[in-house]
Each structure stands twice: as C-alpha cells, then as structure tokens.
Amino acid sequence: MISMDFNNEISGGDMTDINNYRAIAVSNAETKIFESIILSMVTSSACEDKYQFGFKAGHSTSLCTGVLKQTVSYYVNRGSHPKSFVDFSKAFNRVNYWKLFHQLLDDGIPASIVKFIAYWYQLAVVRWHNNVSVPFTIGNGTKQGGVLSPYLFTRYIRQLLYTILYYISSCGVGCMICGMSVNILAYVDDIVLLAPSWKALQIMLDLLCKCCKQLDITCILRKLHVLIFRLKIG
C-alpha cells in the first residue's frame, strides 16, 4: 500500500488549487529495501536505452548535454539545423498501469511479480498532516519517492524512443553520426529532438504526438521550443 503526502508544488501558489499539489510517496526503510529487491527482478534493457540518460549509473545531465553539443557542432559545420525541446505535462502521473504491466510481461517478467507490483501500486492512502484517509485504488501514475518508479517510468516511455528511432532510421531521415542515429535524447521526461531539416523535424513531431496519445502522455505546447543554429561561414 502506498502512503502519500501532498506538497505544494508552486511556491506561493493558490493553496486551494489541486493543480498546485503533487503526491509524494512516503516509504520507510523496509519498503525501500523491498522495492530494491523487486527492482533487480524487473530491470530489462534495450538498444533504445542508450538514448535515455535519466536514472542510470554513470549518466548525468552533463553527459546528455555533451552529446547534444557534439551533435549540434557536427551538423552546424554542414548546415543550419533546427531542434526542439519537448516537455510533458505531469508525465509521471500519466503512466497507464495496464500498459506498463503489459510491457513488463512482454519483457518476460514473471506474472507473479507483475501481479504484486499491480497490487503494490494501485492501493493507496493519503496523509494530510496527522490525518490518514481510507484506502483507495488508483489506476495510473508512478509514485514520486519510490525506488521502483524511476525505472518503471523510463521503461514506459521506451516505446516512444523506439518508434521515433525505428521510423527515422528506416526511412533515412534524421541526424546520423558514424552510422548511429542521434535524433532523440531523453533525460527522464525531458526530450530533445534533433533534425537536419524542417521536414524531418515535422515527421518526428508527428510521430511523437502519435506515440504520446498511445501512452496517454500530454505535451506542454507552450514549453515546446525550436532553435536554429547558424551556419559557420569561412
């Protein structure tokens, strides 16, 4: 069972607006140890994971930024190329459990382990100060503060990375360096799309929107930015 506190997400925001709050999972030491054991039993890998820099040992925002800078530098010497930053609206809260559980089963995770995670994540109580609600079920969202949550979220959006990378590489559109596709970089739910042309960028954005609908994730359009880098002359 998940115990959750609710913290005000926006400093100075309206305390009566539910959108200004986010749930924080409260886990004791025993729960964290237990989830660590479960994590070792469900973790899988795929080639798309090399484009995901979040929640991985030996990876950081600096490493992701370095790959981005090197790719941009490589292409700026050959032309002016747009890229876009994509942000998702409360992405962790929008993880659809049943789609996630099917992904775990597709990875070959034993059904007994998946059933346990389903129970573990769907039953919750809310604690507000010293008051605790009655137990209730929830149908989506990875709990912030949980040991399993970082992996479960990155596993959930792996399909998004795969769809864009597979389509782009199969049709020969997008940024390539030494035969490796460098069209999408992810740090958890922050994603950068890289494209050598406006047409290629539009194709990737269309694919992203399609995949987001399949995963029940919403993009924040006001936070989507496109940058164009100047040609190096001379």
Side-chain angles (χ1 to χ4, degrees), residues 73 75-80 229-234:
S73 177
Y75 271 88
V76 160
N77 292 324
R78 295 162 175 78
S80 179
F229 295 90
R230 293 181 179 179
L231 286 165
K232 281 192 175 182
I233 301 174

Side-chain angles (χ1 to χ4, degrees), residues 203-220:
I203 290 173
M204 284 192 283
L205 287 172
D206 291 342
L207 285 170
L208 181 71
C209 290
K210 181 179 180 180
C211 201
C212 284
K213 289 181 180 179
Q214 294 173 348
L215 294 175
D216 300 326
I217 296 177
T218 303
C219 294
I220 305 177

Side-chain angles (χ1 to χ4, degrees), residues 2-198:
I2 303 171
S3 175
M4 296 184 295
D5 278 343
F6 278 84
N7 288 352
N8 199 335
E9 190 173 32
I10 302 176
S11 178
D14 184 358
M15 296 185 66
T16 63
D17 186 354
I18 192 173
N19 293 315
N20 288 340
Y21 289 83
R22 60 189 173 94
I24 303 295
V26 179
S27 302
N28 56 28
E30 292 82 0
T31 296
K32 292 180 180 179
I33 292 173
F34 187 69
E35 286 199 12
S36 296
I37 296 172
I38 297 296
L39 178 63
S40 65
M41 303 172 68
V42 302
T43 303
S44 65
S45 61
C47 61
E48 296 80 32
D49 291 342
K50 60 177 171 281
Y51 299 96
Q52 172 62 263
F53 291 79
F55 302 128
K56 292 171 63 177
H59 291 68
S60 64
T61 52
S62 298
L63 181 60
C64 186
T65 302
V67 174
L68 172 62
K69 287 182 177 180
Q70 290 297 320
T71 304
V72 169
S73 177
Y74 179 88
Y75 271 88
V76 160
N77 292 324
R78 295 162 175 78
S80 179
H81 308 292
K83 67 183 177 69
S84 65
F85 288 90
V86 179
D87 197 5
F88 297 116
S89 175
K90 298 183 178 180
F92 280 79
N93 298 337
R94 293 180 177 274
V95 172
N96 184 299
Y97 282 159
W98 297 112
K99 292 180 181 179
L100 172 63
F101 299 152
H102 276 97
Q103 290 175 350
L104 295 178
L105 291 172
D106 290 340
D107 289 343
I109 307 303
S112 57
I113 299 297
V114 177
K115 286 180 180 179
F116 173 80
I117 296 175
Y119 171 81
W120 189 258
Y121 265 74
Q122 289 186 95
L123 191 62
V125 297
V126 171
R127 188 177 72 188
W128 181 271
H129 298 294
N130 295 322
N131 300 312
V132 179
S133 73
V134 296
F136 60 92
T137 58
I138 51 180
N140 57 277
T142 53
K143 54 179 180 176
Q144 296 193 41
V147 174
L148 282 169
S149 299
Y151 170 73
L152 293 179
F153 179 80
T154 54
R155 173 61 186 90
Y156 186 70
I157 67 169
R158 185 188 292 169
Q159 182 63 37
L160 186 151
L161 303 180
Y162 169 80
T163 300
I164 292 179
L165 289 167
Y166 176 79
Y167 181 86
I168 294 299
S169 61
S170 65
C171 66
V173 176
C175 297
M176 301 287 293
I177 297 180
C178 298
M180 178 178 176
S181 174
V182 193
N183 297 293
I184 183 169
L185 300 174
Y187 195 88
V188 195
D189 59 337
D190 292 320
I191 288 179
V192 176
L193 298 178
L194 292 164
S197 67
W198 287 108

